[in-house]
Amino acid sequence: MRQRPLSRRPSSHGSCLRLTSALAATLAVLCAAPHARADEKADGPELVIEDNDFLGPGGSDIQSTIPLLANPHIKVLGFTVCAGDDWENAESAHLRRFLEIAHHEDIPVADGAVTPLINTVELMRLREQQYGAIPWKGAWGGPGSMAKVPSSQPPLPKFTEGAPKTPAIAEPAAMFLIRMVHAHPHQVTIFEAGPMTNLALAIRLDPTFAATAKQLVFMGGLIDTNMMSITGSANFASDFNMIFDPEAAHITLTAAWPSITVVGNVSNDIMMTKPYMARIASKNTPVTSYMSRNFSPLPLWDEMAAAIAADPSLVKQSVKAYMDVETTKGYSYGHAHVWPKNLAPVAMGVREVTLVQKIDAEKFQETFVKQAQSL
């Protein structure tokens, strides 16, 4: 929720050489490539890259690809993978296997961050000891104990859905993101549904990266969910994507994106239930069969955010705010905070975002059924 890796992971020295070579190659391409005008309209489909912590098999992370893959008005330039809900190597392999099942193995998958920028297993373990348990810890213990969690990425176990035959591309995720955005200036929507480590690395490597994208749409940024952790599900009230790598979230949210759309609290509103899964599985395809076998009764977190990235008309109510993420160690480490414009600490780099409050739930659910059945 696995078999030896298809190829051995490079040593840290090899990784540095590969990153340096990739950076040099990317910069050479950027310097040589002609840049489109900022107001130039692109013909054809909307261009999207999804960055996610693809826990598998099945579940919200993997299923978030469906609103993108099945939308004829969307062209997915690639998927990038970072550690979060699972270790990065397992996520990448689960995603590549799903793309084979969905007959979209031609879309590149770029492996990315194996750990957060600063947070570590040891630091999160200490945080739990000091400030109480974190409901979901992803690769570092899931909903349980961190006592036996390894400090570094383990080898791949055997996969229930079978190991992928398609390898990830050689280019690191941050380099791929930079290259694609500059190849299509002001046309690429970055859809983020996991920790923001890859985006933060891209921003630090190329300060023009965020401004050269079209927009950022992300799942996360839960606001005022303390009471929900008592009266509802503590896991659903926990903002794992921010908590796993708060520093990356801060770097990303304070970058110069043309616009940022936040799919936060609203992402908890619609569940993947057994009756809903039965509707999807009423047409038997390789994808619906895969989903049914790996059914998870969870909110449609990433699926909803992906659908909004693909079709903004789903949004029926939203509000403008300024947002940042707490990076000071303590109870609130990794928690999002919002301000109205007149109170926002704009001198600290906080930026305006659009917080989605309500969507067309019926349209989203009906469309998602059809899209899953079409793959």
Side-chain angles (χ1 to χ4, degrees), residues 10-64:
S11 67
S12 59
H13 177 67
S15 297
C16 291
L17 290 176
R18 184 177 71 170
L19 183 60
T20 303
S21 300
L23 177 58
T26 300
L27 291 176
V29 170
L30 299 185
C31 292
H35 287 261
R37 300 192 313 273
D39 61 348
E40 185 175 328
K41 297 291 184 180
D43 295 326
E46 292 288 319
L47 307 180
V48 177
I49 298 172
E50 176 177 354
D51 183 72
N52 206 341
D53 52 344
F54 292 97
L55 176 66
S60 187
D61 296 313
I62 294 288
Q63 289 164 188
S64 68

Side-chain angles (χ1 to χ4, degrees), residues 311-314 316 359-369:
D311 180 9
S313 72
L314 285 170
K316 296 305 176 186
I359 72 161
D360 187 334
E362 182 178 355
K363 180 182 178 182
F364 163 61
Q365 289 177 288
E366 290 292 333
T367 302
F368 186 73
V369 170

Side-chain angles (χ1 to χ4, degrees), residues 84-95:
D85 280 336
D86 202 349
W87 295 97
E88 182 269 349
N89 58 347
E91 295 170 346
S92 174
H94 282 301
L95 171 63

Side-chain angles (χ1 to χ4, degrees), residues 339-369:
W339 300 265
K341 184 176 182 179
N342 63 316
L343 299 180
V346 291
M348 301 300 292
V350 298
R351 301 184 59 81
E352 187 179 66
V353 303
T354 299
L355 292 167
V356 177
Q357 295 176 296
K358 184 179 179 181
I359 72 161
D360 187 334
E362 182 178 355
K363 180 182 178 182
F364 163 61
Q365 289 177 288
E366 290 292 333
T367 302
F368 186 73
V369 170

